[in-house]
Amino acid sequence: MSFGFGIGDFILLTDLAWTTVENARKACGALDSLTCEVNSLHIVLQRLQTEVSKPDSILDRKGDNRRKDLRTLARGCKRVLSTLSGVLEKYNGLSEEQRSVTKLWQKVKFGNGEMQDLGNIRTELATYTQSITLFLNLLSIRELGRVGRYMETHGEDLRDIKNNLHWVMASMQATCPEEKSILTTYTEDDKTVWKEFRRELIKLGVSSRVLKKHEDAIKKYVFVLGKK
């Protein structure tokens, strides 16, 4: 699924989110948790669209890796929204009689044949909302000073780990909002939180060897990130 970096691409993504909100309202109701999650994502995408449209946006700097990071987020977001919106449109296209005896499908099939529970999709929407929010917040404070620059400039391994850390944090906050308090009280010696991050990073494909090599830098980054 192609996704460029022009303002038009982000307008289309925001419009897709709004279409999905409307379809969710019709299928589930305005107060349903799925509708609320899509609406939250739409609000964040509006904020992102505003940032991208700025003529002096930091995202326009040549050689800035954040463009690549954002494109990856946007592509994933578009994939989930497109699939969900299609499912909701099909459901809304049923007659009143058909809808009265048919619950909204609990399994959703993606273009690659992957099947996901609707609950998992709701969580994924929330994770994208948190991840894009974190991206924008870091953008507004120009990353995280010396620690952030170190993660960005000391090899591809650390850059990938940094992006994966953002996703793990977003996922934690999406599935369990109280995780925020854990992160904000995190110290570099907090073994419990570090084990959780380590486990999730390994799930995302980061090797134990790489984690061991960069453990100190990663802990410092998580510590600073948790304070923002």
Side-chain angles (χ1 to χ4, degrees):
M1 184 178 294
S2 62
F3 190 93
F5 204 84
I7 181 60
D9 295 294
F10 289 94
I11 290 174
L12 288 174
L13 182 58
T14 305
D15 287 347
L16 173 60
W18 179 246
T19 298
T20 310
V21 170
E22 291 184 315
N23 285 331
R25 284 175 177 168
K26 186 175 179 181
C28 315
L31 300 180
D32 185 82
S33 58
L34 179 62
T35 306
C36 292
E37 289 297 353
V38 181
N39 191 53
S40 294
L41 180 56
H42 174 255
I43 292 170
V44 171
L45 287 173
Q46 285 182 307
R47 183 183 164 199
L48 177 60
Q49 181 182 317
T50 299
E51 175 60 41
V52 173
S53 67
K54 292 178 181 177
D56 59 344
S57 173
I58 193 173
L59 292 169
D60 286 332
R61 293 181 182 176
K62 290 184 178 180
D64 195 306
N65 288 315
R66 279 166 287 204
R67 290 171 65 95
K68 177 183 175 182
D69 300 339
L70 179 55
R71 189 179 290 112
T72 299
L73 277 176
R75 282 174 177 164
C77 191
K78 182 180 179 183
R79 176 186 66 90
V80 176
L81 285 171
S82 295
T83 300
L84 178 59
S85 188
V87 169
L88 292 170
E89 283 181 5
K90 286 183 180 179
Y91 181 77
N92 290 333
L94 298 176
S95 66
E96 288 296 327
E97 182 179 357
Q98 288 173 315
R99 289 180 62 177
S100 67
V101 296
T102 304
K103 288 186 177 181
L104 181 61
W105 300 285
Q106 294 303 303
K107 290 278 188 180
V108 175
K109 186 176 183 179
F110 284 76
N112 61 359
E114 176 191 4
M115 297 291 291
Q116 280 198 29
D117 290 332
L118 201 57
N120 290 340
I121 292 176
R122 190 182 299 115
T123 298
E124 193 168 3
L125 289 169
T127 302
Y128 275 112
T129 300
Q130 293 288 346
S131 193
I132 294 172
T133 299
L134 177 60
F135 178 91
L136 288 168
N137 289 346
L138 290 177
L139 202 65
S140 67
I141 60 174
R142 300 298 190 268
E143 275 290 352
L144 297 172
R146 183 170 57 85
V147 177
R149 287 193 296 274
Y150 183 90
M151 295 289 288
E152 187 68 27
T153 59
H154 281 69
E156 196 66 25
D157 281 345
L158 272 178
R159 274 207 73 252
D160 289 342
I161 288 173
K162 186 190 77 167
N163 293 333
N164 284 327
L165 277 172
H166 293 173
W167 183 258
V168 170
M169 288 189 72
S171 180
M172 283 182 172
Q173 294 186 24
T175 56
C176 188
E178 58 266 27
E179 286 288 351
K180 185 175 182 180
S181 63
I182 294 176
L183 292 171
T184 53
T185 58
Y186 170 76
T187 68
E188 293 174 48
D189 296 323
D190 193 324
K191 294 181 180 179
T192 301
V193 177
W194 167 244
K195 285 181 179 179
E196 179 68 17
F197 271 102
R198 189 177 186 280
R199 180 166 54 249
E200 293 301 319
L201 287 169
I202 288 174
K203 285 182 183 178
L204 291 173
V206 182
S207 72
S208 298
R209 178 187 61 80
V210 171
L211 286 174
K212 182 66 176 176
K213 178 181 177 181
H214 299 294
E215 182 175 332
D216 288 343
I218 297 169
K219 284 183 175 181
K220 288 177 181 177
Y221 187 72
V222 173
F223 173 72
V224 175
L225 201 59
K227 300 302 179 184
K228 299 300 178 181

